[in-house]
Amino acid sequence: MNPSEWFTEQLPGADSAFSLKIKKKLHEEQSAFQFLEIYETETFGNLMVIDGCTMVSTRDNFFYHEMISHPALFTHPEPKRVWIIGGGDCGTLKEVLKHRSVEHAVQIDIDERVTRLAEIYFPELCESNSDLRAELKFIDGIKWVKDAEPNSVDIIIVDSTDPVGPAEGLFSKAFYHDCFNCLSEHGMVVQQSESALYHLKLIGEMRDAMGSAGFGHLQTLFFPQCIYPSGWWSATIASKTSLAKFRELDAADKPFDTTYYNVDIHKAALAQPEFFKKAFSL
């Protein structure tokens, strides 16, 4: 097989790689912040790659977008105001706006080109961009949170790239402290937290930073994500109040369709592997 027919992302230090057979490259450009590529693949639909790392595909994006949004929104007692830091492909925004309680959802991504390319190559993810409750901002999300007033938001979803480049500051104690300050009484921040198999040290550093910033309740949940390193991903929720229960009846009776998320998946995602429990004495 000709290697040029495949897109491959190698993971330094893990001696592993993920590949997809491609039909053709649809687009590439250097934005003001990162190098963006769009491929048409044989079996995963369109694929967006940022700085050489797989970001979103037509076939499997629902795992990530549903699991970074619905568990948190069904855990908060009444989420009305939601901010999405990053999330330029708009898939998370689409899932958030499925919740009737949400009155205002702001997506803050520093790179407008990600959204404009998603509108072309992933239009199904951008279906809610014109929702009257949606607001798109192309500014620095770290500064947005830092400058926010207290009690400004109920849930902050950090839908970011890996902790390098523009996203590095989103994994810091200072950022979590700013999140804590602008969240409402039952406020929570949920952030993609990489793979527990490959990035356990990073998850530990995130959890420590979240706790040090004032969040007394932490919860890491797990889900499959084929195109990301190891194929097994996670998100971590940090909350001002208890995460022991979620609105199970509301989730069971949700008035919208999902592809992966349901009550059973929500419960299963919270099961902690033994090595994870031992790492953090859970």
Side-chain angles (χ1 to χ4, degrees), residues 197-214:
L197 187 63
Y198 288 163
H199 308 112
L200 195 62
K201 181 175 181 290
L202 171 66
I203 296 175
E205 292 170 349
M206 282 181 61
R207 291 172 63 97
D208 287 345
M210 288 169 163
S212 297

Side-chain angles (χ1 to χ4, degrees), residues 12 32 41 58 64 70 76 87 109 135 162 179 192 196 229 238 240 244 247:
T41 73
T58 304
Y64 179 97
H70 299 310
H76 192 284
D109 194 303
E135 182 177 0
D162 296 335
C179 288
Q192 73 87 5
K240 290 185 173 184
R247 297 181 357 255

Side-chain angles (χ1 to χ4, degrees), residues 56-108:
V56 61
S57 82
T58 304
R59 183 175 182 178
D60 79 334
N61 72 82
F62 61 88
F63 291 113
Y64 179 97
H65 289 138
E66 292 183 11
M67 293 304 289
I68 203 171
S69 55
H70 299 310
L73 269 83
F74 277 122
T75 300
H76 192 284
E78 191 177 13
K80 295 181 178 180
R81 301 162 296 176
V82 179
W83 296 345
I84 302 162
I85 310 299
D89 60 55
C90 304
T92 299
L93 177 66
K94 177 183 175 182
E95 297 303 316
V96 166
L97 289 171
K98 289 180 178 180
H99 291 255
R100 293 173 178 171
S101 68
V102 174
E103 298 174 354
H104 189 207
V106 186
Q107 177 180 291
I108 307 109

